[in-house]
Amino acid sequence: MKSTATLKDVARQAGCGIATVSRVLNGKGPVSAASRQRVLEAAQSLGFEFNETARALQSQRTRTIGCLVPSLINPVFADAVQALQAEVLAAGYHLILMCSDYDPAQEAEIIRMLIQKNVDALALTVSDAATSAGLMALRDRPLPHCLMFNAPAQGAASYFVNNASASARVAQAFDDEGHHRTGFLALRFHRSDRSRQRFEGYKKACRTRGMAEPLLLEVDQDQPDLGKQLSQMLRQRAQLSGIYASNDYLAIALIRAARALGWKIPQDLSVIGFDGIEVGQLMVPSLATIVTDPAAMGRQAGRHLLAALENQQHLGAENSVPPIGGLGFEFRPGESLGPVRSDMRSNSRAATPLLPLHHSKTALNASQEQ
Amino acid sequence: MKSTATLKDVARQAGCGIATVSRVLNGKGPVSAASRQRVLEAAQSLGFEFNETARALQSQRTRTIGCLVPSLINPVFADAVQALQAEVLAAGYHLILMCSDYDPAQEAEIIRMLIQKNVDALALTVSDAATSAGLMALRDRPLPHCLMFNAPAQGAASYFVNNASASARVAQAFDDEGHHRTGFLALRFHRSDRSRQRFEGYKKACRTRGMAEPLLLEVDQDQPDLGKQLSQMLRQRAQLSGIYASNDYLAIALIRAARALGWKIPQDLSVIGFDGIEVGQLMVPSLATIVTDPAAMGRQAGRHLLAALENQQHLGAENSVPPIGGLGFEFRPGESLGPVRSDMRSNSRAATPLLPLHHSKTALNASQEQ
DNA sequence: TATCAAAGTGGAAACGTTTCCAGTCCGGAT
DNA sequence: ATCCGGACTGGAAACGTTTCCACTTTGATA
C-alpha cells in the first residue's frame, strides 16, 4: 500500500533535511540551486509523490468537494455533476459523489458523512430545501455550500431554474393552443420540491389565465408497469386535452401509452415535458418541453464554491458570489403540442365550473424574466 | 473549518487520557464501565466527530475508492457509477468521481491524481484498455483495481459485455430479416475500444454469415449538426438496408434523420442500437437493440473491489474474485427492425462483390453463450 | 578587519488519530 | 501476608506533511 517514498526518504538520499525537500518540492521558500538540484534528482530516482492525506491533515484542507444528488439515472443530475466535476478539477479539487435516492433520511446521513470526511465545500440537491435537516446542520458551520436545482432556502445560495416561471410558460403554451382542461403528471411528487413547485406554479398560472384548475396525476415509481398505469389513467381522464409532465421521461412514456390506446398525438392529446433532454428532439413526434441547462447549474455551483474557498482563504468569511434568482430556461416547441380539437374545447368549457369570470391573458413570457 | 472537538478535548473533559477515549469511541480494547460512561457523555456534550483525515493518515486507509469513466452524459456510465457508489457506500466506502472525456492523456493524469489521493481501490473505464498508460502504471502497484465496460486487459479483471458476441447477435438479427448490406455507425470510433470491438465483432460475424462486409460510418462528435451529417451520409449510402449503431442515442438520431428524408422505418431502413436505454422502448418506432445491464457492471465492480480490500486486509494478496468472461446481454426486438424490402435484397446482392461463396448460416445465439 | 543582513538550512512542533507498552490497581490463590 | 495475573489506564511514538524558528554560512559594507 505504501510503496511510495516519503519526504524523509528523499531527504536522506539527497543528504539534507526534510524541510529543505519540502521547500524544493513545493517551490516556496529559499533554497540554494545546489540543494534544489540534489533534491530533485533524489525525488526523481525514488519516484516520490506527495501523500495527500498527510498534506490534508497538516493544512486542514482536503481539496475535496462533496456532491449530493438524488440520483444519476436522471440525466439532468448526471449533466450537472459532470460539469461540476470538470469545473472544480480545473482548480485542483476532487469530487466525492453521493446519491440520496430521493430519501431525506439518507440525505442527512450522507451530509454528516461528508462533513466528517473533511470536505472543503458541498454542492447539494436535496429533496426539500426548506425542511432539509442536513441543510440545517450546515447553516451554522463555516463550511461553504450551495444548492443545485432546489430553490434557495435556509440561507444557502442556489443554482436552479425558477419552476414557477417555467410552469407559467407551459400554461401559456397550452393556452395559446386553446387547451384549458389540463393535467400535471408527476412521478415522485412528495419527494421532490421541484415537482411540487412546478405544480404549484402551474396551478397558479392556470388560475391567472382563466384555465381550469389542473388535475394532479401521480403515478408510482415502479418502472415496469408505468405504461399500464399511464394507460389506465388516460382512459379515466379522457376529457383532458393537454398534460404537462414533470419531466421528459414521463412525457415520453405518456405519449407512448396514449398511442397504445390508439390516440393521435397531438390531435387527441397534447403533451409538454420538462428538462429538455436530448432524445426529446430526436423522437417522432418531437417533444415540446422546457429546456433547462443542468450543466450550467453544476458549473456555476462549482464557481461559487471555488470563489467562497478562495475568499475564505485570503480575506475574511466574505462571500463574493451573490445568490441569484434562477437560471434561464426556454420553451422549446415540438410536435407533441398542437391546437386543441374543437370538440374538446367546447367539452372542456362546459365541464369547467372553476373557470373564473374574466380571462386575463397577460402575455408574460417567463423566459424573458431573467 | 475545524470547529469540531478532538480526542484531546474529549479526554480533558472526561478526565482521562486520549487512548481511553479512542478505545471507547471505537468500541475496542478494555475500558471500565465508569470511564465509558464519562467519555460518552463528554463526547456527546462536545459534539465530537472523528476526523477521517487523521484516521486515514494513521491507518493508511482512506476508505475511499476512485472511479473513472469517460463521461456521465452517456446514461450507461451514469447507471454504472450510481450502482457502484451504492454498493461501496454500504461497506463504508466513498467514491471519488472523475471523467476523462474519452481522452487517454487525461485518463493517465487522473489515475495519477487518484493514487496520490491514496484511494484504497480503483474502478475504471478507459479509452483503450490494451494500451492505457494509466492502467499500466497500476499493474505493479499493490492497489486493487478493476475495469468496467472495457474488455479485460493488462491483468485487470473487468465487468463488461462481450462486444463481439453481442455484435454477432446483431448480425444474426439482420440476417434473419434478410439484410445483407449493412453499415456500422460510430461516433467516437478511435477513442473507444468498445466501439472498435463492436465493429470488429460485427465484421467477423457478417463474414461468417456470408453477409456483405459492413460499411464503417463515422460521424464527428459535434452535437449540433449531427442530424445534417447523418442525412448526408444516408443519402450517399441509400443502398444499405440496415444500420447497426454503436449506441442507442446514435440509433435514435439516425432514425430521425432518415424520417426527415422521407424514409419509412423499418421499410426503407432497419436500425439496431446498443445499450438498451429506457427511451428506446418508449419511442415510436421502438428501438431494436442489445440490452446490457450497466448497473450490474458497477455493482459487480464494487463487490470485486470490496472483496479484494477484505482479502488484502485479512489474508495475503490473494484475490478471491476471479475475472469473468463477460456479463450477459439480450437482444431486444423492436419496430425499428423489419424484413428487408425485396428490391433492396436483389439490389444488394448484385452490388456485393465481397460475398463469399458459401453462406454458412451458423445459428449461434450469442446471448446464450454466457 | 570587524560587523551585519540576507540567504540557506535542518530540528522540532504541530495536525488528530491509533496502538504499543509500561505502568497501576485490584481480587483471589498460595 | 505475599504473590500473581488480569483488567484498566495514559504517555508516547508513530503516520507524512508544513512551517516556525534558531542556527549557520556567506558576501558586502563600514
Side-chain angles (χ1 to χ4, degrees):
Chain A
M1 174 123 301
K2 46 168 313 308
S3 52
T4 16
T6 72
L7 278 190
K8 205 193 292 188
D9 299 328
V10 177
R12 190 169 343 110
Q13 170 128 354
C16 64
I18 47 175
T20 302
V21 179
S22 173
R23 278 189 287 257
V24 171
L25 265 24
N26 284 296
K28 49 164 62 173
V31 202
S32 70
S35 300
R36 164 170 292 112
Q37 180 66 15
R38 275 180 302 136
V39 166
L40 287 177
E41 275 170 9
Q44 178 81 21
S45 85
L46 290 171
F48 172 84
E49 300 220 322
F50 278 114
N51 178 329
E52 288 297 335
T53 305
R55 279 185 135 174
L57 176 61
Q58 162 64 33
S59 64
Q60 308 285 39
R61 308 177 62 228
T62 53
R63 294 213 148 256
T64 284
I65 289 177
C67 173
L68 170 67
V69 290
S71 161
L72 286 183
I73 291 177
N74 187 334
V76 166
F77 297 122
D79 286 5
V81 170
Q82 165 143 356
L84 172 63
Q85 187 266 327
E87 188 70 27
V88 301
L89 179 61
Y93 283 84
H94 291 186
L95 215 62
I96 296 194
L97 175 73
M98 307 250 100
C99 300
S100 67
D101 258 321
Y102 298 91
D103 178 355
Q106 267 207 59
E107 225 171 77
E109 168 66 5
I110 285 172
I111 291 177
R112 212 184 52 74
M113 287 172 120
L114 288 173
I115 291 177
Q116 208 162 334
K117 201 108 188 182
N118 294 322
V119 293
D120 293 339
L122 282 166
L124 312 165
T125 298
V126 296
S127 281
D128 188 336
T131 66
S132 165
L135 199 51
M136 207 169 314
L138 240 37
R139 212 167 23 179
D140 2 286
R141 249 174 233 267
L143 183 56
H145 59 279
C146 71
L147 297 169
M148 302 182 295
F149 298 97
N150 298 110
Q154 305 204 37
S158 184
Y159 298 87
F160 69 111
V161 52
N162 188 320
N163 287 302
S165 303
S167 297
R169 184 64 186 79
V170 171
Q172 183 202 330
F174 273 138
D175 199 3
D176 285 352
E177 299 289 352
H179 298 275
H180 287 181
R181 274 198 88 76
T182 61
F184 179 83
L185 177 62
L187 187 58
R188 258 179 233 90
F189 194 68
H190 53 293
R191 292 181 146 204
S192 160
D193 56 2
R194 280 87 64 207
S195 194
R196 286 203 308 278
Q197 285 158 6
R198 279 170 209 165
F199 180 57
E200 292 303 326
Y202 185 58
K203 200 157 65 172
K204 191 167 165 197
C206 286
R207 205 173 292 141
T208 305
R209 296 184 162 273
M211 296 161 64
E213 190 86 349
L215 224 52
L216 174 60
L217 310 166
E218 278 188 78
V219 289
D220 296 345
Q221 36 185 130
D222 296 292
Q223 301 279 25
D225 63 343
L226 180 61
K228 258 183 229 154
Q229 285 187 56
L230 290 174
S231 299
Q232 191 172 356
M233 189 210 71
L234 280 175
R235 259 194 300 262
Q236 293 172 354
R237 311 298 188 184
Q239 80 277 18
L240 299 177
S241 71
I243 294 183
Y244 170 24
S246 126
N247 70 55
D248 285 350
Y249 269 88
L250 265 181
I252 293 170
L254 181 67
I255 289 173
R256 178 156 189 95
R259 292 183 141 201
L261 292 178
W263 299 15
K264 295 242 177 307
I265 306 290
Q267 292 85 348
D268 299 323
L269 179 71
S270 280
V271 176
I272 300 180
F274 199 104
D275 287 342
I277 65 176
E278 200 185 347
V279 284
Q281 300 180 83
L282 301 176
M283 57 184 278
V284 177
S286 65
L287 184 62
T289 190
I290 294 289
V291 183
T292 65
D293 191 347
M297 301 190 200
R299 198 160 44 238
Q300 294 189 32
R303 291 206 193 115
H304 176 109
L305 296 177
L306 292 173
L309 288 167
E310 188 69 13
N311 283 348
Q312 173 179 290
Q313 189 83 352
H314 293 313
L315 319 173
E318 188 188 352
N319 200 339
S320 77
V321 181
I324 53 174
L327 273 65
F329 60 86
E330 195 181 304
F331 175 70
R332 181 163 69 205
E335 297 151 4
S336 67
L337 170 64
V340 70
R341 243 171 40 207
S342 53
D343 59 322
M344 294 200 79
R345 176 194 301 269
S346 46
N347 249 0
S348 73
R349 297 274 169 168
T352 308
L354 293 173
L355 267 184
L357 294 179
H358 77 112
H359 287 206
S360 60
K361 293 257 179 183
T362 352
L364 84 129
N365 185 325
S367 67
Q368 289 172 203
E369 282 180 11
Q370 27 241 342
Chain B
M1 175 122 304
K2 48 168 311 308
S3 52
T4 16
T6 72
L7 278 190
K8 205 194 291 187
D9 299 328
V10 177
R12 191 171 340 111
Q13 170 128 356
C16 63
I18 46 176
T20 301
V21 179
S22 174
R23 278 188 287 258
V24 171
L25 265 23
N26 284 297
K28 48 166 61 173
V31 202
S32 70
S35 300
R36 165 168 293 112
Q37 179 66 16
R38 273 179 304 136
V39 166
L40 288 177
E41 276 170 8
Q44 178 80 22
S45 85
L46 291 172
F48 173 83
E49 301 220 323
F50 277 113
N51 179 330
E52 288 297 334
T53 305
R55 279 185 135 175
L57 176 60
Q58 162 64 33
S59 64
Q60 306 286 43
R61 309 177 61 227
T62 53
R63 295 211 145 256
T64 285
I65 289 177
C67 174
L68 170 67
V69 291
S71 161
L72 286 183
I73 290 177
N74 188 332
V76 166
F77 297 122
D79 285 5
V81 170
Q82 165 142 356
L84 172 63
Q85 188 266 328
E87 188 70 27
V88 303
L89 180 60
Y93 283 84
H94 292 188
L95 214 62
I96 296 193
L97 176 73
M98 307 248 98
C99 301
S100 67
D101 259 320
Y102 298 90
D103 177 354
Q106 268 207 59
E107 226 171 75
E109 168 66 5
I110 285 172
I111 291 178
R112 211 185 52 75
M113 287 172 121
L114 288 173
I115 291 176
Q116 207 163 334
K117 200 111 188 180
N118 293 322
V119 293
D120 293 338
L122 282 166
L124 311 165
T125 298
V126 295
S127 281
D128 188 336
T131 66
S132 165
L135 199 51
M136 208 171 311
L138 240 36
R139 212 167 22 179
D140 3 284
R141 249 174 233 267
L143 184 56
H145 60 280
C146 71
L147 297 168
M148 302 183 295
F149 298 96
N150 298 110
Q154 307 204 36
S158 184
Y159 299 88
F160 70 111
V161 53
N162 189 319
N163 287 302
S165 302
S167 297
R169 183 63 187 82
V170 171
Q172 182 201 332
F174 273 138
D175 200 3
D176 286 351
E177 299 290 350
H179 299 275
H180 287 182
R181 274 198 89 76
T182 61
F184 178 84
L185 176 62
L187 187 57
R188 260 178 234 91
F189 194 68
H190 52 295
R191 292 181 148 203
S192 159
D193 56 1
R194 281 86 62 207
S195 195
R196 286 202 309 278
Q197 285 158 6
R198 281 172 207 162
F199 179 57
E200 291 305 327
Y202 185 58
K203 200 158 63 173
K204 191 167 165 197
C206 286
R207 204 172 292 138
T208 307
R209 296 185 162 272
M211 298 160 63
E213 190 87 349
L215 225 51
L216 174 59
L217 311 166
E218 277 188 79
V219 289
D220 295 346
Q221 36 184 129
D222 296 293
Q223 300 281 23
D225 63 343
L226 180 59
K228 259 181 230 155
Q229 284 187 57
L230 290 175
S231 298
Q232 192 172 356
M233 188 211 71
L234 280 174
R235 259 194 300 262
Q236 294 172 351
R237 310 299 188 184
Q239 79 278 17
L240 300 176
S241 71
I243 294 182
Y244 170 26
S246 127
N247 70 55
D248 285 349
Y249 269 89
L250 266 182
I252 293 171
L254 181 66
I255 289 173
R256 178 160 188 92
R259 293 184 141 201
L261 292 179
W263 298 15
K264 293 244 178 307
I265 307 292
Q267 290 84 348
D268 299 322
L269 179 71
S270 279
V271 175
I272 300 180
F274 199 105
D275 286 342
I277 66 176
E278 200 185 346
V279 285
Q281 298 180 83
L282 300 176
M283 56 184 280
V284 177
S286 64
L287 183 63
T289 191
I290 294 288
V291 184
T292 65
D293 190 350
M297 302 190 199
R299 201 162 39 240
Q300 293 188 31
R303 291 206 193 113
H304 176 108
L305 295 178
L306 292 174
L309 288 167
E310 188 69 12
N311 283 349
Q312 171 178 292
Q313 188 83 354
H314 293 314
L315 318 173
E318 185 189 355
N319 202 338
S320 76
V321 181
I324 53 175
L327 274 65
F329 60 86
E330 194 180 304
F331 175 71
R332 182 163 69 204
E335 298 151 4
S336 67
L337 171 63
V340 70
R341 242 171 41 207
S342 51
D343 61 320
M344 294 201 78
R345 177 193 303 267
S346 46
N347 249 0
S348 72
R349 296 273 169 170
T352 310
L354 295 172
L355 266 184
L357 293 179
H358 75 112
H359 286 206
S360 60
K361 292 259 182 183
T362 351
L364 83 130
N365 185 325
S367 67
Q368 288 170 203
E369 282 181 11
Q370 28 242 340

